[in-house]
Each structure stands twice: as C-alpha cells, then as structure tokens.
Amino acid sequence: MRSNAFFPGNPIGFNRLIEPNTRLFGPGQLGKIASTFHQPQPPPASVKYVLTTVWAWIFLASISLPLSAQERWLSGESANTYGTGVLLAPSDDGGSYVLSRDLFELTRFDRCGVALWNRTISPGRPSGLAVHLISRQGGGIVALFRFDNAGRYGALMVAVDGQGTVLWSELLDDPAFSYIPYTLGSDAEGRLHVFGHVTEIPTNEIWLFLSSFDPQGSVRWSKLVGDGGIWGGSTSTSDGGFLLRSGNRLVKLNPAGNFEWGRRYDWDVYDYQAPIEHPNGYALSGYALLDQDVSWLSVQFNGIPTNNGLFRLDMPTQSPRLTKSNNGSLGLSFTQSEASGSRWSVITLDNQFRPATAVSVTPFSGTGHQTPDEMAYSSEGELLGAGTRAGNLFLAQLGSDPGLPGFNCLEALSLPGVVVSTATSSAWTPSINAGILPWTTASVLPAVGSVDPLYQCQWTPQLDLGPDTAFCGSGRFAIGDRDGDKFDQYRWSTGARTPEIEVSQSGVYWLEVQSGCSGTVQTDTIQVLMLAATFLDFPEQFALCAEENLRIEAPSCANCSYWWSTGSRNADLEPQDTGTYWLELTASNGCASIDTFRVVDAQCYCAAYLADAFTPNDDDLNESYGPVLDCRETFYRFEVYDRWGKLLYASLDPDYRWDGTVDGKPCPSGVYGYRLSLRAEIRAVEQNLEDQRGRFVLMR
C-alpha cells in the first residue's frame, strides 16, 4: 500500500501540497540534492495511516487558514462630531457603521476605513442617548435610543438602509411609565427585539420588558418579566428564543416569549453587558465589584455553570464586553485603568475561553480617552474597534489575529495569570406576563453630514511564496502565498489571477500582488523543481508460513539506497518473525519513500483428508465418517448422500461426524457420496475453496 510519506532529503520547509506524496527543499538546497541523505526516525507501526492524516492536514490547513494576515489599519475622523462615545456594527461588505452615542453622527465606512457617507440620526427627543447598534439583515443598521423627558424615559428604534435612508422608526413613550431600553437583538429570520426595564411612575414598580418585532418594525408581542429590573442585555438564541440578562441573573425564553429556565449566579460583578451564545452554551462578562478585575463566565445551554468556566484577570477594568464573529471566534474588549489614564485593550479567547492573544490599541490609550469603546467582528472575520478622544473618532481593523507583529498601532499587552474556578448558581423563576406596550410609528429625518480624515496608520501583510521548492513524483502541486488569501489582486507569471496556482513543470514562477487598502504592490519568485520518484507500494501484510521462506523484494531502482527497520541495507528482506516492518527507499536525487507492512503468522495451505470406507459396527474402530482437516477454516459444511442423490446428513461443525444412521436407523452397507465446502485463511487471506466431492463405502 502506498505510503503518504515521500520527501527529498533533509527538508527544512514546506509549501502547499495538492498530492500528499511530497516534501520540499529549503533555500539553497536544489544544488545539493545528489549528496543529501535524510536519516528519519523509524516511523510508528501505524505510519500508513498516521502520515496520511498528517499530510492531508497540511494541505487542508494551507488552503483554509483564517485571513490572519489581512491588512490592518487605524483611521481617525476629526471635526469633533463623535462626542463622548460611539457604537459599532459591521456592514455586509466587510466595512462598518459607527454611531455617536450623544451627537448621533452615523457614518458608514468601507473595509479600508474610508468614510462613504455620514448622517445625523437625531431621536428628536430631549437628552437623547444612543444605547445599542446592530447590523440589519439585508443591509444597513438598526439603532436604539433612550431619551429623558424630565426624569421619565422613553425608547426609539430606527432602521437605516445601507445608503443612509431611514426605513422606519418605532417610539415607546407613555406619561404613566418610564422605559429604559438596554439592547437590541435580531434572529436568523431578521426579526428584532428590544429589551429593557419599565417603571410604573405612581407605584415605582419595576418590570423587565421584551418586545418582539417583524423585520419591518411592526411589533409582534411584548412580555413583562417580574422580580424587578436591573441593568443588563439580551441576545437572540440559535433556537429562535431569547436569553435575557438582568444583573447576575439569566432567563431563557422560547420563540413565543414563554419561560424555559432562569438562573441566579453567585458572581460579584458589575457592568452587565449582553450575553453571547457559543457552540457549547452561553457566556457573559463583567468586572468585580471589589477591585474591578475583568471576569467572564461560561454556562451550559440549560444555564448551569460550566465546570472551570469562571475566569478572572487581576486587571482593573471598565466595560468588559464579549463579542462573537460569524465563524465563532470570541473576543473580549475592555478599558484598562492605569495611573496615567486608561488603555483600550482586546483579548481574543480560544475555544476553552482562555486568553489567546492580548493587545492594546495605542491611539485609544492615555488621558482624554473616552468610554465606552466598542468592538465587533466584520463580515469577513476581522476584529474591528472604535472609540473617541476629544470628540474625534478612531476606527481600527485589528485583523482576525491581533497578536501578529508588525502593526505600530498595537502594543502587546502583558496579562497576569488567569484565575479559573467553577461558579455556583441557583434556579430563578420570575413571573412572565403578556404586556401591551405603546409602540407607535415615529418620524425621523436624517441630516446629511461630512467627516474629515484626521490620520491613518497602516500595516500591509508581506508576500511570501516560501523557499525554492522541490516536488517528488508526477502530478500537479499548488504554490501560493504561505499566509493564505490576504491580498486584493493577484497576477502570476502564468497569467493566472488567483491566490494560488497548480504547477506540473520545473521552472521559476513569480507572483505580483496588490493590497486594496494601501495600494502597495509586491512581487516574489519561487523556483520549482519536479523530481522523478520511485514509490513504494507494499501490500498491507505478508504471510509467514512454517512450510516456506518469506522473501520481500523492494522495487528495482538505479543508484537507490535501502534502509529496512531491521537495519538491513539490502534490496530484499527475509523476515523470521511476525511484526511490523518498514522500508525507506532513497533515490539518488534525494527523494525518499517510506512504506510499512505487517508480517503475520499464517498457514500456506488447507488440506482435508477423507477415508475410502468406514465400519460402524460397534467395534470402536472407524465408527464414524468425516474429513480430517489441517486448515484454519472459517466456514465448514459436510454432506452425505445416498446413491440416488438424497441428502442423508449435513453438519456445520467439523467436530461432528456421520455415524452411518438416518433418524436413528442404521443405513445399509453400500456406496455413498459426500460433498465438503470450506472457506479458510490461506496466507492470511480468507478464501472460498472449491468443493470436494467423492465416494466412500459403508461396511457393516
């Protein structure tokens, strides 16, 4: 069986592989092929399967790596139009929307941080404040505002399309109640919801409220959740339901807004941001009340805390917020308090919720930095950040891996050790009632505005085709940038315009790329050498029989060297014992092939002996009839017939023999026929043997 372990001598680098039977040379090795001999470690017994998996992983990883080296940038917009904080939401083309929390400037940016348009979306109510911004299914955004009318609050929800046109708006205002909205949410069908709390002014009774809307902004239903209300957030869940957070409590509602479960967590934190859903449950964040350390908690889909799912960093923070990308990547952003001011920091989390990378964004740091700052993942999986200083906006694309070096707008962030524990919780069952909230259609007319670029710092990924490369064997092999698809334009020496090409001939290939945001043009070349190869393709096993010698011969190969697992350097091997063996064959050009096989104990024949006669006459000699086997049978059937072809006896067990009777009555002397059917292992291979037929004499 052909092994997927085939390589030239002493490789120090590799490129992408279309066929797995290859390895590559490092720089400067193409002239040293003839004198290089690789001395690999003996492969494991399962090398055929292990190496196949490894090389397949290398190939798949090379074409599906995340765009971790996409262009990263940070741009600034001036004119003091963004106030003391912003909200951020991704657009459907890799760009973003930014909304000033208090000055209501809404700006759409492209994927390079260039402003496309600006609108002022005023709620038209006194003391307004934008509290949440989400992407709208089909393009555009939905914004949620809170306004203060002499201590009585109301809510306004506004939908804007991708060109800045207001589509609809819904107002929640009632003189007898005060409504404080927390968050917006949307599900896979484009339905929306608003979560917050409502206070009845005469009685000061507080309820949480949840209102569900269709994609056009028409209210579907509202629910009131009892047991008071405290700041929190919400998210739509993958099952079409809702997860509501109020302080350190979670309540799960089904798609109709009915109760499923509720939990109260023994977790002393503040700043109750909306929870998120991850593949194994939900997560929420906050900072410790005592020392303001950042903390986050993972719970199962039933709300029970995950074992070792409570995390805490000894870092005083504000506004720790969890964010999830479309592909499931998790990020945690927060404002880190320092003696010299504050620092906006970002941590990416692995699938165990532990920190993977940690950076702070330089222009967001220092005195004058305003909070809260926002983080989101773009539709292309790039981490976006936004914040303000002195009214100026700073918008950053940090890439899918902010920890990559080379971007001078980022500083590495040193994290203390993570304290991991398991949270405790108890069941919480609030009252839930259907409610009628007075949502009404409102009129919002956006004003056209403008923004002035302040500055931009940028990091452009570097093109790298890797070292000169040799491929062993025939076929088509892929070459391309080693960090994946990260540029906007490609032009190969072959005329191809794709991130990678397949080659089947030796030669020098070049690639010219251009970055879309910076416009930088780069070129790199790679020399490819196609080497002739001799492949090993042993059977998976050989039979070792006591009756004959086993000799295993390697393929004929001029000027090849052989190295067997026994240490032999001959072209053939005569194993004396069972077990797993391997051979490495190295050609004069440095290409080596490894294959393994097993030698198993086996029988090389199957013999059945039958007598010509038997005498069932109670003298204890030749009393029964049947075959004597020297065989490793896996199926046996023996039949006896009379002279007219009637079946008299049949057995599937070789330990049973015919005693010369039928239904307990002795058969007369005479000639009888038999048929023997066998399936047996011969040379370790199960085979159906040809039926044996014959005659014998019964003598009494």
Side-chain angles (χ1 to χ4, degrees), residues 541-545 550 577-579 598-602 683-684:
Q541 64 183 24
F542 291 90
L544 182 62
C545 306
L550 172 63
D577 299 301
T578 61
R598 290 183 298 116
V599 173
V600 298
D601 177 59
R683 299 185 184 276

Side-chain angles (χ1 to χ4, degrees), residues 176-297:
F177 295 89
S178 181
Y179 299 95
I180 296 183
Y182 300 158
T183 52
L184 275 167
S186 66
D187 63 16
E189 305 299 324
R191 292 184 291 261
L192 303 163
H193 73 261
V194 174
F195 174 57
H197 79 249
V198 54
T199 304
E200 187 177 7
I201 292 178
T203 64
N204 284 328
E205 186 176 5
I206 300 175
W207 293 71
L208 298 170
F209 75 85
L210 177 71
S211 292
S212 176
F213 301 82
D214 66 20
Q216 289 72 44
S218 298
V219 65
R220 301 170 62 225
W221 48 257
S222 295
K223 297 286 184 176
L224 297 176
V225 181
D227 200 17
I230 192 170
W231 294 99
S234 62
T235 188
S236 295
T237 55
S238 58
D239 60 2
F242 309 89
L243 186 66
L244 312 181
R245 179 184 184 183
S246 177
N248 287 337
R249 298 171 297 185
L250 287 179
V251 59
K252 176 66 169 61
L253 306 182
N254 68 14
N258 298 319
F259 178 81
E260 288 190 357
W261 56 259
R263 304 296 299 182
R264 189 191 310 268
Y265 302 96
D266 300 322
W267 185 34
D268 293 329
V269 294
Y270 190 66
D271 205 344
Y272 311 118
Q273 302 295 326
I276 65 169
E277 182 175 335
H278 60 83
N280 299 313
Y282 308 108
L284 48 161
S285 61
Y287 64 82
L289 287 173
L290 182 62
D291 48 20
Q292 296 190 334
D293 288 350
V294 63
S295 183
W296 59 99
L297 170 66

Side-chain angles (χ1 to χ4, degrees), residues 399-557:
S400 56
D401 183 2
L404 288 176
F407 187 28
N408 61 3
C409 289
L410 296 179
E411 294 178 355
L413 179 62
S414 178
L415 297 178
V418 181
V419 178
V420 181
S421 60
T422 301
T424 58
S425 68
S426 57
W428 174 50
T429 307
S431 60
I432 298 179
N433 300 290
I436 300 176
L437 301 188
W439 289 96
T440 58
T441 301
S443 177
V444 176
L445 297 176
V448 177
S450 62
V451 291
D452 300 316
L454 181 64
Y455 77 96
Q456 187 175 65
C457 71
Q458 199 151 8
W459 177 84
T460 300
Q462 298 301 303
L463 173 63
D464 183 12
L465 293 179
D468 292 338
T469 301
F471 294 103
C472 294
S474 60
R476 301 182 65 84
F477 305 92
I479 58 175
D481 185 71
R482 296 204 295 179
D483 285 329
D485 180 6
K486 62 191 180 186
F487 298 100
D488 289 86
Q489 296 183 29
Y490 297 82
R491 185 167 68 92
W492 287 89
S493 52
T494 62
R497 300 281 181 169
T498 54
E500 64 182 20
I501 60 173
E502 296 179 5
V503 298
S504 58
Q505 297 180 347
S506 299
V508 176
Y509 298 84
W510 56 259
L511 170 62
E512 180 184 271
V513 298
Q514 182 171 352
S515 303
C517 294
S518 66
T520 303
V521 176
Q522 302 177 60
T523 303
D524 194 14
T525 61
I526 183 172
Q527 182 177 358
V528 174
L529 184 62
M530 310 299 290
L531 302 176
T534 299
F535 291 99
L536 293 175
D537 193 11
F538 289 125
E540 291 197 18
Q541 64 183 24
F542 291 90
L544 182 62
C545 306
E547 303 82 11
E548 57 188 54
N549 293 329
L550 172 63
R551 187 176 193 179
I552 301 172
E553 296 183 352
S556 176
C557 177

Side-chain angles (χ1 to χ4, degrees), residues 324-342:
K324 182 180 71 171
S325 71
N326 292 337
N327 62 11
S329 299
L330 298 173
L332 177 69
S333 70
F334 53 89
T335 303
Q336 183 185 358
S337 302
E338 296 180 337
S340 59
S342 57

Side-chain angles (χ1 to χ4, degrees), residues 602-609 627-638 651-656 676-689 692:
Q603 190 169 357
C604 292
Y605 62 88
C606 177
Y609 306 97
V628 177
L629 301 179
D630 184 6
C631 189
R632 296 181 182 179
E633 74 280 355
T634 58
F635 174 81
Y636 168 91
R637 181 178 175 87
F638 181 66
S651 175
L652 298 176
D653 189 340
D655 292 331
Y656 285 88
L676 175 63
S677 302
L678 289 173
R679 184 163 59 244
E681 284 190 2
I682 300 177
R683 299 185 184 276
V685 178
E686 190 175 46
Q687 304 178 34
N688 287 317
L689 304 183
Q692 294 186 38

